[in-house]
Amino acid sequence: MTPLASVHFPDGSGYVLAAYLVFFLLLLIYLGITAYRLLGLERRLGDLTRQLDEAEAKSALDGASAPAPAAAAVPAPDEVPR
Amino acid sequence: MYSTKLRSLSLATLLTLGGAFLLAAYYAPVEADQGFSQKIFYVHVPMAIVALGGFVWGGIQGLLFLRTRDPKHDLRSYVAIHMSVILGIGVLLTGGLWARAAWGVWFEWREATLVSFLIVFLLYCTYQPLRFSILDPEKQSRYAAVFAVTAGAFVPLNFMAVRLANPFIHPRVLNNTTGGALPVDMKIPFYLALVGMTLLFVTLYRLEMTHKLTRGRVKGLERRLERLQGERDEASIPARSAAPQVLA
């Protein structure tokens, strides 16, 4: 195996390598941040969908067990504000 | 959440950009004047062109928003500018490295191309703070669109002004954008890199749009849940971001 020190790199190759590394690092950082944010959103979306289903099911149940709106609108004699 | 189109785009970007960089490394000849450091050209120039194109695209979307008042255009304008600013950071960093390798300095203040790009970049850096400083969402979108249109029109004007300026230190590798000065074995990797960089921009743009639309959907669901639970008044939900909201 050839030792790295004996390999001849052209002049300015360090700058070229650094420029391409900067590009890939920038891309990687951006993609990492976006992936993190999207994963968080996906989790939140799942939670919200579940909560919403539960809330809708609960409100449907409440609506079924509640008295008819016309009857509920008429206050009982002892509830009339004086 | 992610479309097949986004996956195909990502794959096309990877292949095109990877191919272009491989061609730049192994196929393109070493430039006689600048030597090996000229290879930075294949990442730096396409990135700069795409970043400037993204700013102009943001301006076009801003104009469409002002005409139609459709929040979708505001979101597109915002995302295009956001992506272009990120690419702009890459342009300045890779340009600095190229300048250091070619001229021995990180930045040359007497060179119109560098200074003009820096001015454009700094101008667009004020876009986000401008949005954040306006609380009313309708005003925020309108003012941001006016900014995007004005600054978007400034980009090609600025480009032309620099092209007309003399003398040049910054290499004019594309011979005033006609592509005549570049030999064929440099042209192929360059144009492939340009296509790859454009695809990268489109991919990241779509990814960011997916993120923003999903966030809008989440906010819409949060509002719906709050209405159902009757916990909070809809108007009391604080705006957490200056990014345009397109509710699903």
Side-chain angles (χ1 to χ4, degrees):
Chain A
M1 206 163 71
T2 320
L4 197 65
S6 66
V7 179
H8 175 71
F9 289 106
D11 283 345
S13 56
Y15 290 110
V16 177
L17 187 70
Y20 282 85
L21 271 179
V22 160
F23 171 72
F24 285 118
L25 270 179
L26 203 64
L27 192 63
L28 210 67
I29 291 169
Y30 174 77
L31 286 177
I33 293 170
T34 309
Y36 178 76
R37 287 187 308 173
L38 276 171
L39 280 176
L41 270 180
E42 213 167 43
R43 219 173 297 130
R44 180 85 184 113
L45 197 63
D47 284 352
L48 274 172
T49 313
R50 190 180 42 77
Q51 283 177 19
L52 206 63
D53 286 347
E54 283 172 10
E56 272 172 349
K58 199 180 162 195
S59 71
L61 268 176
D62 288 350
S65 61
V74 181
D78 56 338
E79 280 174 13
V80 175
R82 294 172 207 277
Chain B
M1 185 150 62
Y2 317 106
S3 64
T4 324
K5 209 171 177 180
L6 192 60
R7 280 199 199 115
S8 317
L9 257 172
S10 309
L11 193 68
T13 305
L14 201 70
L15 289 174
T16 321
L17 216 50
F21 289 162
L22 280 174
L23 282 178
Y26 297 108
Y27 171 72
V30 174
E31 211 251 349
D33 194 32
Q34 290 188 45
F36 195 73
S37 65
Q38 188 266 348
K39 301 266 182 194
I40 298 175
F41 160 77
Y42 301 100
V43 65
H44 171 77
V45 181
M47 201 155 43
I49 293 172
V50 172
L52 293 175
F55 288 139
V56 175
W57 178 246
I60 293 168
Q61 289 300 322
L63 191 67
L64 285 172
F65 172 75
L66 290 176
R67 282 177 65 90
T68 62
R69 300 289 157 147
D70 186 346
K72 172 180 78 186
H73 293 300
D74 182 39
L75 180 66
R76 285 178 184 167
S77 172
Y78 171 85
V79 171
I81 291 171
H82 178 74
M83 296 316 311
S84 296
V85 167
I86 294 171
L87 286 183
I89 296 169
V91 173
L92 288 172
L93 291 175
T94 54
L97 286 160
W98 195 6
R100 178 77 179 159
W103 308 325
V105 288
W106 294 104
F107 197 84
E108 178 56 66
W109 289 100
R110 289 167 297 171
E111 172 48 51
T113 312
L114 305 193
V115 177
S116 74
F117 190 88
L118 184 67
I119 291 170
V120 168
F121 174 76
L122 291 175
L123 175 71
Y124 277 98
C125 282
T126 62
Y127 177 80
Q128 285 256 4
L130 174 82
R131 284 201 85 111
F132 272 107
S133 66
I134 304 163
L135 291 175
D136 177 26
E138 200 277 327
K139 264 187 187 172
Q140 190 188 88
S141 303
R142 200 152 29 95
Y143 290 3
V146 171
F147 178 97
V149 172
T150 318
F154 172 71
V155 170
L157 282 176
N158 188 50
F159 180 80
M160 281 187 283
V162 169
R163 290 266 142 174
L164 294 170
N166 263 320
F168 299 130
I169 304 172
H170 191 279
R172 287 290 174 267
V173 280
L174 293 179
N175 193 20
N176 292 330
T177 66
T178 59
L182 214 59
V184 180
D185 40 10
M186 282 186 178
K187 253 186 205 170
I188 295 168
F190 171 72
Y191 286 118
L192 196 64
L194 188 59
V195 171
M197 205 60 82
T198 310
L199 282 172
L200 178 71
F201 182 86
V202 175
T203 309
L204 296 181
Y205 177 86
R206 289 189 73 95
L207 187 68
E208 193 68 31
M209 287 287 288
T210 307
H211 171 246
K212 296 281 183 277
L213 289 169
T214 311
R215 201 171 63 186
R217 205 173 148 206
V218 165
K219 283 200 184 299
L221 284 177
E222 277 174 347
R223 286 191 171 91
R224 213 170 123 198
L225 188 68
E226 275 156 14
R227 266 200 302 271
L228 265 173
Q229 291 175 336
E231 281 174 4
R232 274 197 287 169
D233 183 36
E234 199 179 323
S236 69
I237 300 165
R240 289 185 60 207
S241 168
Q245 304 294 314
V246 179
L247 296 179

